[in-house]
């Protein structure tokens, strides 16, 4: 008995043979059905149904000169903020009948350049990158291929590529000024790597211009585990701060866990604030005060911009999204002032 599970996949020649027409005629039925007589279409479609023929995406790309693929390069898939952003990006791209292929770089610009070439090799019609720190090879690839490319999660109207994102320095400033307004001056700042993340550098720049004499800074990998470790170091300080400013919600979550483990009351003993507004941040204990980054709106806007550039050849304008303070239970005014 013939088992369809192990049946060889039919190709254009198989359809043409069964329908007793040329391969070119089958191709026209698939790609330009209005140019084929109804009787011929009916015969070819019957053969397609009988053979369970599925057109090859690669063959369609060769015939049309279009892959309808957009490549996105992101540092990691480990954090919810990238998952939310990519989901929004994919959803909007699909409305333009474009598919998304994602590559991760681990924050390494050299890896990013290599993976960008791979995306181009598989036919990507556009590229989306994170931030503004990239290898010259990436820009050379974009220029050589005349490839539509957009940078996200950052706003810089003078950058080589159109930027669609938010003011990272402003996000850091919002968080700090809120803590200062609550009377906190002894503040510990927990941040990610300074060597591979221009968004982190910009958020630190947002803290400049304020009295940082009583600020202490702790660098950590962007993980809950490293947030816990940073909190442990902060609690060992002789002059313990009254507030902890984390430049990402991932680190802030780790800080909250460690403070809870060491029975330090938040916000009564120490206030904690983050930046991101991840979905889980409203459900930590206590709920995390944070700065909301509009990654869903950014994803939709980026998809629209790159799609219209691909389809119409029009370079998009830069776009800045506002960040907003979300006040929850993890912060309070400093007592005794």
């Amino acid at each position: 008995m013939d088992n369809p599970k192990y049946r060889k996949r039919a190709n254009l020649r198989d359809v043409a043979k069964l329908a007793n027409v040329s391969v070119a005629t089958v191709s026209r039925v698939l790609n330009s059905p209005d140019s084929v007589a109804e009787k011929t279409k009916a015969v070819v479609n019957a053969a397609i149904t009988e053979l369970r023929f599925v057109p090859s995406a690669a063959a369609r790309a060769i015939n049309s000169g279009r892959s309808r693929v957009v490549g996105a390069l992101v540092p990691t898939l480990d954090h919810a903020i990238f998952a939310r952003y990519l989901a929004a990006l994919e959803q909007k791209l699909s409305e333009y009948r474009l598919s998304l292929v994602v590559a991760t770089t681990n924050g390494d610009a050299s890896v990013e350049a290599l993976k960008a070439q791979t995306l181009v090799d598989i036919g990507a019609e556009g590229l989306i990158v994170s931030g503004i720190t990239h290898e010259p090879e990436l820009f050379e690839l974009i220029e050589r291929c005349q490839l539509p490319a957009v940078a996200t999660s950052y706003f810089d109207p003078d950058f080589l590529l159109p930027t669609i994102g938010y003011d990272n320095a402003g996000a850091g400033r919002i968080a700090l000024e809120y803590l200062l307004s609550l009377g906190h001056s002894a503040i510990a700042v927990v941040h990610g790597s300074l060597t591979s993340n221009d968004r982190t550098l910009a958020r630190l720049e947002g803290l400049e211009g304020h009295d940082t004499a009583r600020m202490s800074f702790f660098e950590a990998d962007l993980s809950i585990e490293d947030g816990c470790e940073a909190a442990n170091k902060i609690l060992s300080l002789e002059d313990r701060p009254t507030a902890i400013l984390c430049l990402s919600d991932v680190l802030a979550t780790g800080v909250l866990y460690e403070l809870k483990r060491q029975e330090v009351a938040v916000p009564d003993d120490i206030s904690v604030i983050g930046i991101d507004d991840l979905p889980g941040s409203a459900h930590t204990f206590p709920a995390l005060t944070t700065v909301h980054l509009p990654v869903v709106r950014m994803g939709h806007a980026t998809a629209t911009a790159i799609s219209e550039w691909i389809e119409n050849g029009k370079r998009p304008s830069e776009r800045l999204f506002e960040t907003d303070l979300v006040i929850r239970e993890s912060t309070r005014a400093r007592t005794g002032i």
Side-chain angles (χ1 to χ4, degrees):
M1 180 177 176
D2 184 22
N3 187 342
K5 182 178 179 180
Y6 301 105
R7 186 182 298 162
K8 179 184 175 183
R9 180 173 176 174
N11 56 36
L12 279 177
R13 293 185 181 279
D14 296 327
V15 174
K17 182 178 179 180
L18 181 60
N20 197 27
V21 298
S22 67
V23 171
T25 298
V26 177
S27 181
R28 285 198 301 274
V29 170
L30 293 171
N31 299 304
S32 305
D34 293 342
S35 67
V36 183
E38 291 298 326
K39 183 177 179 180
T40 303
K41 276 196 293 186
V43 172
V44 171
N45 285 328
I48 287 173
T49 300
E50 182 174 339
L51 294 173
R52 300 180 184 179
F53 171 70
V54 178
S56 163
R60 284 199 302 267
I62 292 171
N63 292 331
S64 67
R66 298 287 308 277
S67 69
R68 307 202 69 83
V69 165
V70 172
L73 295 143
V74 296
T76 180
L77 296 177
D78 288 344
H79 305 317
I81 194 165
F82 291 111
R84 294 179 72 198
Y85 159 64
L86 290 171
L89 187 62
E90 193 277 333
Q91 181 269 327
K92 182 60 70 171
L93 284 173
S94 68
E95 295 179 14
Y96 289 87
R97 296 180 57 245
L98 294 170
S99 297
L100 179 66
V101 176
V102 178
T104 58
T105 68
N106 198 31
D108 187 321
S110 298
V111 171
E112 179 188 57
L114 291 171
K115 291 197 173 183
Q117 180 65 65
T118 300
L119 290 170
V120 171
D121 290 343
I122 66 172
E125 296 187 50
L127 285 180
I128 300 167
V129 298
S130 296
I132 61 171
T133 304
H134 309 282
E135 291 290 307
E137 289 81 2
L138 177 70
F139 298 112
E140 291 167 7
L141 173 68
I142 291 168
E143 177 63 25
R144 184 172 69 252
C145 299
Q146 292 294 290
L147 196 67
V150 172
T152 65
S153 303
Y154 206 104
F155 179 75
D156 182 352
D158 298 321
F159 188 56
L160 185 63
L161 305 178
T163 54
I164 298 175
Y166 33 79
D167 179 1
N168 286 279
R173 190 178 309 113
I174 288 170
L176 175 59
E177 290 180 348
Y178 180 63
L179 291 179
L180 294 174
S181 75
L182 295 177
H184 298 284
S185 57
I187 299 171
V189 179
V190 182
H191 59 82
S193 171
L194 301 181
T195 60
S196 62
N197 194 317
D198 48 32
R199 282 80 74 204
T200 295
L201 283 169
R203 292 175 196 180
L204 280 172
E205 289 171 5
L207 310 185
E208 296 175 358
H210 297 277
D211 181 10
T212 58
R214 297 193 64 194
M215 282 189 195
S216 51
F217 294 83
F218 298 83
E219 184 171 338
D221 289 337
L222 288 180
S223 69
I224 291 176
E225 180 181 4
D226 278 74
C228 291
E229 185 177 337
N232 192 46
K233 292 177 181 177
I234 291 167
L235 293 177
S236 69
L237 295 174
E238 184 175 344
D239 185 13
R240 183 178 289 186
T242 62
I244 302 175
L245 166 55
C246 300
L247 298 189
S248 83
D249 279 12
V250 171
L251 291 171
T253 300
V255 166
L256 287 175
Y257 286 170
E258 184 63 19
L259 295 180
K260 177 69 174 177
R261 190 182 73 81
Q262 297 203 32
E263 299 182 345
V264 176
V266 178
D268 293 344
D269 296 332
I270 295 181
S271 287
V272 179
I273 190 170
I275 297 176
D276 283 331
D277 194 21
L278 299 180
S281 297
H283 306 288
T284 56
F285 184 78
L288 181 67
T289 295
T290 186
V291 178
H292 174 76
L293 302 182
V295 294
V296 172
R297 286 186 290 148
M298 182 182 74
H300 289 160
T302 301
T304 297
I306 198 85
S307 299
E308 293 182 351
W309 194 355
I310 290 169
E311 299 296 340
N312 305 320
K314 184 179 178 181
R315 177 188 170 104
S317 299
E318 295 77 17
R319 187 164 178 185
L320 173 65
F321 288 95
E322 296 297 324
T323 56
D324 303 297
L325 180 67
V326 181
I327 300 173
R328 298 194 179 106
E329 290 78 36
S330 68
T331 49
R332 60 167 292 179
R334 181 186 170 194
T335 56
I337 59 171

